[in-house]
Amino acid sequence: MTAELVRGQNHPLSQTRLEIRVSAGKPIVAGATLSDEHGTVHGVEWVAHPGAPTLPGLEVSRQAAADHRLAVDLDAMPDSVHRISVLLALPTGVGGPVSFGAMAAPFVAVTGLDGTEVASYTITGLEAECSVVALELYRRQGAWKVRAVGQGYAGGLAELLADQGLAEAHQLASGINEAVTQGVARSVAAPPPRTTDTDRSRQPAAPAVGPDQSGSSYGGGTSPQTGASYGGASPQTGQTPLPDTPQPTTGFTGGPDPADASAVTQSATPGSGGPVDYSHPRRQNAAPPPPPPAAPPAQPGQPATPVAGDASGWSMDERLYNQVWGMFEDLARTAASYRSAVDFADSRMEKELDQVLSDPRARIGGQGDAAREAAQAKRAQLVDQARQALDRDVAQLTAESDVVEPALPAPYARWDNPVWHAYRVPMEMPMAVRLGELHLPECAELRIPMLVRLPLERGLWIDSGRTGSTDGTFTDSHDRRRLGMETAVAHAARLLAVHPAGEFTVHVIDPAGAGAQALAPLVQTGVLASPPAHGAAGVTEVLARLTQRVDLVQMAMRGGASDALPPGFDTSQQLLLVNDFPHGFDDRAVNQLRYLADEGPAVGVHLMMVADREDASAYGPLLDPLWRSLLRLTPVPDDHLADPWVGHCWTYEPPLVPPGSQVLPQVLTQVAAARRELNR
């Protein structure tokens, strides 16, 4: 459960590898200082900032942005470090806000690597301050804790750093401001709220579901943000949080704040002798393009006509992605309003009945019955009003979905969408991929696509065990395993189809050969890197090869020598599909699988497991980190996903290919042909 801190409150940290996520709504600078037990910073080398973003166990953002993710590894901290202070500051000289009092309160969250929030803090009460110590991680008696600080400074970074004992505070503050000013044209600003004629606004969510990845979420999670990303199952509720996930703002890869005209950098005219502008030629002078022209205004009292792609974004795909997540947020909000109204009606009825029946005289005769009927009538009236509001919002969202769903590109579309019949192998990777559909019990007919950002930030676990399926089907273990493998193949085929030729490779481990029938589309079309691995020897060979790949890429990245990889090294994204885990896996293979799940996504090696957790119960808690690191999906409808805003239990439905459809082999045949053409 997330601890929502107030100023001065602390909370223990049970994990050592953390992310600190910041959301401010306007571009700000994020940094961190390391200090001793007295809170003293002993030199500029103890400060992580955009000009020097990396320290042992700590990495911060390299530029000003509306959202930040700071990586912290407490185990890697030197023994002399007892405190890590997270700093936020407003960039100077760029025309933005000059104090935190002129903008929304910044939000800071400490999360695990799986996107699960540990603690959060909204920094309120700031006025003239332009820099603030948001929170600090500190060591106390060998254990780490987080404390909400919220100490602001009107004198900016120089005053803040000087207060922490840094002798070179003014020089360092000037250097940070200069580095930020040089990169301000690349600052990522939150998109403006999108409003429709019905005054329905969509506030951008900053995981990161998926859908961003993420986290993703649906992922993800900052509050009220995704996250990607989908987190691990909560021990209290058993629900998997939807990440951080929905994060429309992560679709913006650059560009100044649309509301801040002074942040726009004008390019030098060729031959004018001015400075060379190295910013992206297609994005250097403009905010995100506006949505396409809307439909004619609706008549008073009539809902607005929905338009596909009416969200902000650089391309139609990005607009549709943001629009889908806007629909997700709108449905979450309207369902939360309805449930809150019903809860209020119930509590009011109980209160009125208690007041009447507390008088013994009211229990005699018809007075009690009349009071009960009146209370029930009031409850019914309130619930009916709430239901009418819900039905109105759902009708509007359904109309929008009817327009958006046919307009979705192949990566976002269902398998029965006609867009797949015109499929061609893409030239570049899309920003997201569809992993299923989500709906709520109040409006089961309205389905929201579950989009997850690419490249994947977490592996996938197709749970072939007994689930609380909403329709009670597939209770037989053989049927569940078969359907689980079919679901995994559909996911793998979609990932192959949405990547350019040669940029995504699939490996399969099927120790007992139990998935041969489900794997037939992948095997027969020749899209696999090699035939499925069988037996203990096959398991060992594939895991050793992918583990070595992760080690090589990590060493190259850490050494800054990515061009030193062996000749002919396959640089494409890798997906390992594992069936029937843990059968055929010894202890060494299990450890290698955990290593791939933890370290693989960062270097392009992803894991997809079809497994029943009960089958691996003999390993005890050893595999708990593995299950938590993967995004759990089911081959049957199941309400195991929870959004990070209001905690709704969303029913997930897998994206299965329609029975009798030939779309899967047709698409995979084109993928295989494009790969052969590439290798000629």
Side-chain angles (χ1 to χ4, degrees):
M1 182 180 234
T2 303
E4 298 182 0
L5 305 180
V6 296
R7 182 173 298 179
Q9 186 178 2
N10 60 41
H11 185 74
L13 297 174
S14 59
Q15 305 178 54
T16 58
R17 299 179 66 187
L18 303 165
E19 274 192 350
I20 299 174
R21 304 184 179 186
V22 181
S23 177
K26 293 285 186 180
I28 63 172
V29 181
T33 60
L34 308 180
S35 54
D36 59 17
E37 63 272 18
H38 304 295
T40 302
V41 179
H42 290 279
V44 295
E45 66 277 5
W46 286 44
V47 183
H49 56 85
T54 304
L55 294 178
L58 178 64
E59 185 173 0
V60 303
S61 302
R62 299 175 182 268
Q63 64 183 33
D67 300 284
H68 293 271
R69 290 192 181 189
L70 286 63
V72 180
D73 186 351
L74 298 176
D75 286 339
M77 286 293 160
D79 294 338
S80 56
V81 174
H82 289 259
R83 187 179 302 174
I84 307 166
S85 300
V86 177
L87 321 176
L88 307 179
L90 296 174
T92 60
V94 297
V98 296
S99 68
F100 281 108
M103 54 187 289
F107 176 84
V108 187
V110 180
T111 73
L113 294 184
D114 59 357
T116 304
E117 278 192 18
V118 178
S120 64
Y121 173 42
T122 302
I123 310 172
T124 58
L126 298 178
E127 296 294 341
E129 296 87 346
C130 57
S131 65
V132 61
V133 179
L135 51 79
E136 62 182 15
L137 312 180
Y138 64 98
R139 199 195 315 248
R140 183 66 54 82
Q141 297 179 349
W144 286 91
K145 295 183 178 182
V146 57
R147 176 188 290 123
V149 180
Q151 176 62 53
Y153 297 84
L157 276 174
E159 182 181 354
L160 185 155
L161 295 171
D163 191 45
Q164 296 191 1
L166 181 62
E168 306 90 341
H170 289 276
Q171 297 91 324
L172 180 58
S174 298
I176 294 174
N177 289 329
E178 181 180 356
V180 171
T181 302
Q182 292 175 355
V184 74
R186 301 188 302 273
S187 298
V188 181
R194 181 177 70 87
T195 59
T196 67
D197 294 338
T198 57
D199 196 28
R200 176 168 61 88
S201 64
R202 288 177 180 160
Q203 300 298 332
V209 148
D212 291 276
Q213 306 351 152
S214 262
S216 332
S217 237
Y218 295 74
T222 55
S223 174
Q225 303 161 349
T226 92
S229 287
Y230 300 88
S234 167
Q236 289 83 7
T237 64
Q239 303 298 325
T240 301
L242 284 170
D244 273 321
T245 226
Q247 186 181 2
T249 57
T250 57
F252 294 92
T253 56
D257 184 355
D260 184 6
S262 63
V264 180
T265 302
Q266 299 295 334
S267 61
T269 302
S272 64
V276 178
D277 186 356
Y278 291 98
S279 58
H280 195 290
R282 296 181 63 186
R283 298 186 183 177
Q284 58 192 12
N285 292 329
Q299 296 297 324
Q302 297 296 324
T305 302
V307 177
D310 69 341
S312 300
W314 295 106
S315 64
M316 178 55 73
D317 286 1
E318 186 173 343
R319 291 172 180 172
L320 289 168
Y321 172 84
N322 291 339
Q323 186 173 11
V324 166
W325 279 117
M327 294 164 57
F328 176 87
E329 295 171 19
D330 288 348
L331 182 56
R333 292 189 184 101
T334 190
S337 298
Y338 171 73
R339 295 180 183 183
S340 177
V342 172
D343 290 341
F344 171 76
D346 290 339
S347 63
R348 175 174 175 171
M349 181 182 69
E350 293 175 1
K351 182 179 179 180
E352 291 178 350
L353 290 177
D354 289 342
Q355 290 176 347
V356 172
L357 298 180
S358 61
D359 185 356
R361 293 172 297 179
R363 305 173 189 171
I364 303 174
Q367 185 176 357
D369 294 337
R372 184 178 296 105
E373 292 176 359
Q376 291 174 346
K378 289 181 181 179
R379 178 198 178 276
Q381 181 183 6
L382 291 174
V383 172
D384 288 343
Q385 291 176 352
R387 187 71 208 191
Q388 291 174 8
L390 174 67
D391 291 343
R392 181 182 65 249
D393 291 343
V394 169
Q396 181 178 345
L397 287 170
T398 301
E400 187 172 8
S401 177
D402 292 342
V403 173
V404 170
E405 189 71 51
L408 294 177
Y412 306 169
R414 289 193 297 250
W415 284 114
D416 59 358
N417 192 310
V419 71
W420 286 107
H421 296 291
Y423 168 78
R424 295 294 182 269
V425 178
M427 299 300 294
E428 60 182 14
M429 182 179 70
M431 66 183 300
V433 66
R434 185 175 188 147
L435 293 184
E437 296 178 345
L438 301 168
H439 63 85
L440 292 172
E442 287 85 357
C443 46
E445 70 283 355
L446 177 57
R447 309 299 173 92
I448 306 296
M450 175 179 165
L451 304 182
V452 175
R453 292 297 299 266
L454 291 177
L456 296 174
E457 295 182 358
R458 303 173 60 190
L460 303 178
W461 165 31
I462 313 301
D463 189 357
S464 60
R466 186 181 300 275
T467 63
S469 58
T470 56
D471 54 8
T473 57
F474 299 103
T475 56
D476 179 76
S477 62
H478 176 74
D479 287 340
R480 293 197 305 270
R481 295 176 191 276
R482 174 186 57 79
L483 194 62
M485 197 59 188
E486 291 177 357
T487 303
V489 169
H491 286 312
R494 182 180 289 265
L495 289 168
L496 279 166
V498 303
H499 283 81
E503 293 190 14
F504 196 83
T505 304
V506 177
H507 309 266
V508 176
I509 291 179
D510 187 18
Q517 181 177 356
L519 289 169
L522 299 178
V523 175
Q524 294 173 0
T525 54
V527 295
L528 296 179
S530 58
H534 301 305
V539 171
T540 302
E541 190 275 330
V542 173
L543 290 178
R545 176 157 36 92
L546 291 178
T547 301
Q548 183 184 40
R549 174 192 176 84
V550 172
D551 292 338
L552 285 173
V553 177
Q554 282 185 339
M555 287 189 292
M557 293 174 60
R558 291 169 181 169
S562 56
D563 56 345
L565 291 169
F569 187 84
D570 183 7
T571 59
S572 66
Q573 299 277 316
Q574 309 285 311
L575 175 69
L576 174 59
L577 198 165
V578 178
N579 183 36
D580 221 12
F581 176 83
H583 302 296
F585 285 74
D586 55 20
D587 290 344
R588 175 180 175 81
V590 169
N591 287 330
Q592 288 177 318
L593 202 64
R594 287 186 53 188
Y595 177 73
L596 292 178
D598 291 339
E599 305 294 336
V603 293
V605 178
H606 310 284
L607 183 62
M608 184 188 300
M609 292 177 52
V610 180
D612 181 356
R613 189 168 182 173
E614 292 183 2
D615 291 344
S617 59
Y619 288 94
L622 175 67
L623 290 183
D624 286 350
L626 174 63
W627 305 121
R628 288 195 297 266
S629 68
L630 303 174
L631 169 59
R632 176 176 175 253
L633 303 176
T634 56
V636 295
D638 186 68
D639 57 350
H640 70 283
L641 295 174
D643 68 66
W645 297 286
V646 289
H648 289 328
C649 295
W650 292 78
T651 297
Y652 166 80
E653 292 201 8
L656 296 177
V657 180
S661 173
Q662 296 300 311
V663 64
L664 200 63
Q666 291 173 2
V667 169
L668 292 177
T669 299
Q670 291 195 44
V671 172
R675 178 172 296 183
R676 288 192 298 269
E677 184 68 22
L678 182 68
N679 294 330
R680 283 185 179 179

